[in-house]
Amino acid sequence: MQRGNKEYTEQDLSFNALVKLRCVLYGDDAVVIEGHKGLKSFSSEKIVFKATANRLFFVSGKNLILNRFSRGYALVVGIIAEVGYESVV
């Protein structure tokens, strides 16, 4: 799911309901993630959160900073290019 893409498949919506992870984009500058299960990895270009045992949620872009981070809540600021899910390998 790329920034600006408003087309979600029925499968995407069903998965979001199962994960109980909420993502709110604020323009290209910030994203709030609620319901994550912890931080998997981070750099200034990609921050990865645990969503479920088999799926990760990521934020990618430039100059990314974890402005706020607590159990189940994160605020990422920077130049947001993409957010989405990826499978655990």
Side-chain angles (χ1 to χ4, degrees), residues 31-36 49 66-76:
V31 59
V32 171
I33 299 102
E34 296 176 334
H36 68 80
F49 299 91
L66 271 171
N67 196 322
R68 300 266 189 249
F69 183 79
S70 62
R71 185 176 183 187
Y73 177 86
L75 170 61
V76 177

Short mmCIF file of all heavy atoms in Angstrom, two decimals, residues 31-36 49 66-76:
data_model
loop_
_atom_site.label_atom_id
_atom_site.label_comp_id
_atom_site.label_asym_id
_atom_site.label_seq_id
_atom_site.Cartn_x
_atom_site.Cartn_y
_atom_site.Cartn_z
N VAL A 31 3.55 9.62 10.62
CA VAL A 31 2.63 8.49 10.67
C VAL A 31 2.55 8.00 12.11
O VAL A 31 3.55 7.92 12.81
CB VAL A 31 3.06 7.35 9.70
CG1 VAL A 31 4.43 6.84 10.04
CG2 VAL A 31 2.06 6.23 9.69
N VAL A 32 1.32 7.73 12.55
CA VAL A 32 1.08 7.18 13.89
C VAL A 32 0.71 5.72 13.72
O VAL A 32 -0.15 5.38 12.90
CB VAL A 32 -0.06 7.93 14.61
CG1 VAL A 32 -0.45 7.23 15.90
CG2 VAL A 32 0.35 9.37 14.88
N ILE A 33 1.35 4.84 14.48
CA ILE A 33 1.06 3.42 14.46
C ILE A 33 0.57 3.03 15.85
O ILE A 33 1.26 3.26 16.84
CB ILE A 33 2.31 2.59 14.09
CG1 ILE A 33 2.80 2.96 12.69
CG2 ILE A 33 1.99 1.10 14.12
CD1 ILE A 33 3.98 3.85 12.70
N GLU A 34 -0.63 2.45 15.90
CA GLU A 34 -1.20 1.99 17.16
C GLU A 34 -1.45 0.49 17.08
O GLU A 34 -1.94 -0.01 16.07
CB GLU A 34 -2.52 2.70 17.44
CG GLU A 34 -2.38 4.19 17.64
CD GLU A 34 -3.72 4.88 17.82
OE1 GLU A 34 -4.74 4.35 17.34
OE2 GLU A 34 -3.74 5.93 18.45
N GLY A 35 -1.10 -0.21 18.13
CA GLY A 35 -1.34 -1.65 18.19
C GLY A 35 -0.19 -2.52 17.74
O GLY A 35 -0.36 -3.72 17.57
N HIS A 36 0.99 -1.94 17.57
CA HIS A 36 2.14 -2.76 17.18
C HIS A 36 2.59 -3.63 18.35
O HIS A 36 2.26 -3.37 19.50
CB HIS A 36 3.30 -1.89 16.66
CG HIS A 36 3.94 -1.04 17.72
ND1 HIS A 36 4.86 -1.54 18.60
CD2 HIS A 36 3.77 0.27 18.04
CE1 HIS A 36 5.26 -0.58 19.41
NE2 HIS A 36 4.60 0.53 19.10
N PHE A 49 8.07 -2.64 12.41
CA PHE A 49 7.37 -3.02 13.64
C PHE A 49 6.83 -4.43 13.51
O PHE A 49 6.49 -4.87 12.41
CB PHE A 49 6.19 -2.07 13.90
CG PHE A 49 6.60 -0.65 14.07
CD1 PHE A 49 6.65 0.21 12.98
CD2 PHE A 49 6.92 -0.15 15.32
CE1 PHE A 49 7.01 1.54 13.13
CE2 PHE A 49 7.29 1.17 15.48
CZ PHE A 49 7.34 2.02 14.38
N LEU A 66 11.96 8.06 15.24
CA LEU A 66 10.91 7.64 16.17
C LEU A 66 10.73 8.76 17.18
O LEU A 66 11.48 8.87 18.15
CB LEU A 66 11.32 6.35 16.89
CG LEU A 66 10.94 5.05 16.23
CD1 LEU A 66 11.59 3.90 16.96
CD2 LEU A 66 9.45 4.88 16.17
N ASN A 67 9.76 9.61 16.94
CA ASN A 67 9.55 10.77 17.80
C ASN A 67 8.95 10.35 19.14
O ASN A 67 9.34 10.85 20.18
CB ASN A 67 8.64 11.78 17.10
CG ASN A 67 8.67 13.14 17.74
OD1 ASN A 67 8.74 13.25 18.94
ND2 ASN A 67 8.62 14.17 16.92
N ARG A 68 8.00 9.43 19.11
CA ARG A 68 7.39 8.88 20.33
C ARG A 68 7.32 7.37 20.16
O ARG A 68 7.00 6.86 19.09
CB ARG A 68 5.97 9.40 20.53
CG ARG A 68 5.86 10.88 20.67
CD ARG A 68 5.88 11.27 22.15
NE ARG A 68 5.55 12.67 22.28
CZ ARG A 68 6.41 13.58 22.65
NH1 ARG A 68 7.65 13.25 22.94
NH2 ARG A 68 6.07 14.84 22.77
N PHE A 69 7.62 6.64 21.23
CA PHE A 69 7.55 5.19 21.18
C PHE A 69 7.18 4.66 22.55
O PHE A 69 7.83 5.00 23.54
CB PHE A 69 8.88 4.59 20.74
CG PHE A 69 8.85 3.10 20.59
CD1 PHE A 69 8.30 2.53 19.46
CD2 PHE A 69 9.33 2.29 21.58
CE1 PHE A 69 8.24 1.15 19.32
CE2 PHE A 69 9.29 0.92 21.46
CZ PHE A 69 8.74 0.35 20.32
N SER A 70 6.11 3.89 22.60
CA SER A 70 5.72 3.22 23.83
C SER A 70 5.05 1.91 23.46
O SER A 70 4.92 1.58 22.28
CB SER A 70 4.77 4.10 24.65
OG SER A 70 3.58 4.34 23.94
N ARG A 71 4.63 1.17 24.43
CA ARG A 71 3.99 -0.12 24.19
C ARG A 71 2.74 0.08 23.32
O ARG A 71 1.78 0.72 23.76
CB ARG A 71 3.63 -0.77 25.51
CG ARG A 71 3.09 -2.14 25.37
CD ARG A 71 2.85 -2.74 26.72
NE ARG A 71 2.38 -4.11 26.56
CZ ARG A 71 1.96 -4.84 27.54
NH1 ARG A 71 1.96 -4.35 28.77
NH2 ARG A 71 1.55 -6.05 27.33
N GLY A 72 2.78 -0.43 22.11
CA GLY A 72 1.62 -0.37 21.22
C GLY A 72 1.42 0.95 20.50
O GLY A 72 0.47 1.09 19.74
N TYR A 73 2.31 1.93 20.70
CA TYR A 73 2.13 3.25 20.08
C TYR A 73 3.47 3.76 19.56
O TYR A 73 4.48 3.64 20.25
CB TYR A 73 1.57 4.25 21.09
CG TYR A 73 1.41 5.65 20.56
CD1 TYR A 73 0.27 6.02 19.87
CD2 TYR A 73 2.43 6.58 20.70
CE1 TYR A 73 0.13 7.31 19.35
CE2 TYR A 73 2.30 7.86 20.19
CZ TYR A 73 1.15 8.22 19.52
OH TYR A 73 1.02 9.48 19.01
N ALA A 74 3.44 4.34 18.37
CA ALA A 74 4.67 4.95 17.82
C ALA A 74 4.29 6.12 16.92
O ALA A 74 3.29 6.08 16.22
CB ALA A 74 5.48 3.93 17.05
N LEU A 75 5.12 7.15 16.98
CA LEU A 75 4.99 8.30 16.08
C LEU A 75 6.29 8.40 15.31
O LEU A 75 7.36 8.57 15.90
CB LEU A 75 4.74 9.59 16.86
CG LEU A 75 4.82 10.89 16.07
CD1 LEU A 75 3.78 10.93 14.96
CD2 LEU A 75 4.68 12.09 16.99
N VAL A 76 6.20 8.24 14.00
CA VAL A 76 7.37 8.32 13.12
C VAL A 76 7.26 9.62 12.33
O VAL A 76 6.22 9.89 11.73
CB VAL A 76 7.43 7.12 12.16
CG1 VAL A 76 8.62 7.26 11.21
CG2 VAL A 76 7.50 5.82 12.93
#
